[in-house]
Amino acid sequence: MLVMVLRKTLNLKHAFTISRGTKTDVENVIVNLEHNGLSGWGEASANDRYNESPETTINALAAMIDALSGPCDDKQIKELLALVPGQYAAQAAMEMALLDYRGKQLKLPLYQHWGLDPKDMAPTSMTIAMAEPQQMAIHAREASDFKILKIKLGASNDRAMIQAIRAVTDQKLRVDANEGWLDREAAAREIDWLATQGVELVEQPMPAAQLEDAIWLKSRSILPLIADEAFTTPDSINTLQDGYHGINVKLQKCGGILAARQSIEQARAQKMSVMLGCMVESSLGISAAAHLAPLADYLDLDGHLLVTNDPFDGLEMREGYLHFNNKFGLGVTPNQEIMRPEDCPTSKDEDMLEEFS
Ligand code: MG
């Protein structure tokens, strides 16, 4: 099995500001497996919130590639990922590539392999990052194809941002404070006010570490509260049910599709709702999550729509819904205009590619 790893910078359409800071691009890591004429693709979006970087991700991938002898079943995948504990983005990318390969081998899209029906997919929200309120209103208008907007808050002028957006659209709104509200009484007042503005739910209102405050807030919140930064892996769910109504599951955060499925099952057992979310990822990583989308209540799978140079094709967005193309595996192909020839698997340019066999 030939494996290649490459770095890919994704450029953001608009500066992406959340309560923690601003980004204009992200550097993701792409994995490609080649075996018996079939390929498998995976993507890692390393997150510094969880002490990951492209470098730690590439090191973790190298450790797994060293131990990889060929296609894997679920048990072998689990053993492989266990070699790099805590390297969630690398685990997600490696598993994605192996499952993409498996789908192509079985000649099935992955959702079909798992017996899921894309007709059960909810519409996805589109994220509006923090900016000057009038600028956010312009971005909201640009997103008129979507049924739901997810608004990033957690600044001193949160209400002005919501008011500016509400002035231009009746779309359903969700709010993500990204741990930006530090005082629980103030958070409770914000939630009461947001409920009067047609906001459906609030994601990670307060810092993940403040579980006692989350429990207090849940007991009086009239809107559902969703744990994002507070939720990483399936074993963290037990401690979260008192503080949140639901969890935001991301492949890059929990270490891949199989861990995401396990998280969803566990959330259901605790009667918690499930959002399926993403990092800034190309159509590759977003497609991988979308194959699980029929299992989620809320979808926030818009990462590929935030970038100007998506290196993969596969998903289509129509009227707020994601659609698959019925290709096998993840259903994605490299976009030849964006992926330079030296980025493609047949290249021998070793300056750009780190090649393992
Ligand atoms: Mg979030």
Side-chain angles (χ1 to χ4, degrees), residues 137-150:
I138 292 169
H139 295 165
R141 244 190 255 125
E142 287 171 5
S144 60
D145 279 358
F146 293 84
K147 300 191 178 308
I148 308 153
L149 302 179
K150 177 162 131 175

Side-chain angles (χ1 to χ4, degrees), residues 26 59 78 100 110 122-123 132 155 162 186 230 238 240 246-247 296 333 350:
V26 300
N59 290 340
K78 228 176 157 184
D100 185 29
L110 284 175
E132 286 301 316
I162 293 291
N238 280 343
L240 294 177
I247 54 168
T333 44
E350 299 199 359

Side-chain angles (χ1 to χ4, degrees), residues 283 287 312-316 323-327 330-333:
S283 284
S287 296
F312 288 85
D313 295 320
L315 278 180
E316 241 189 273
H323 295 270
F324 292 110
N325 59 12
N326 292 325
K327 288 201 169 95
L330 294 173
V332 296
T333 44

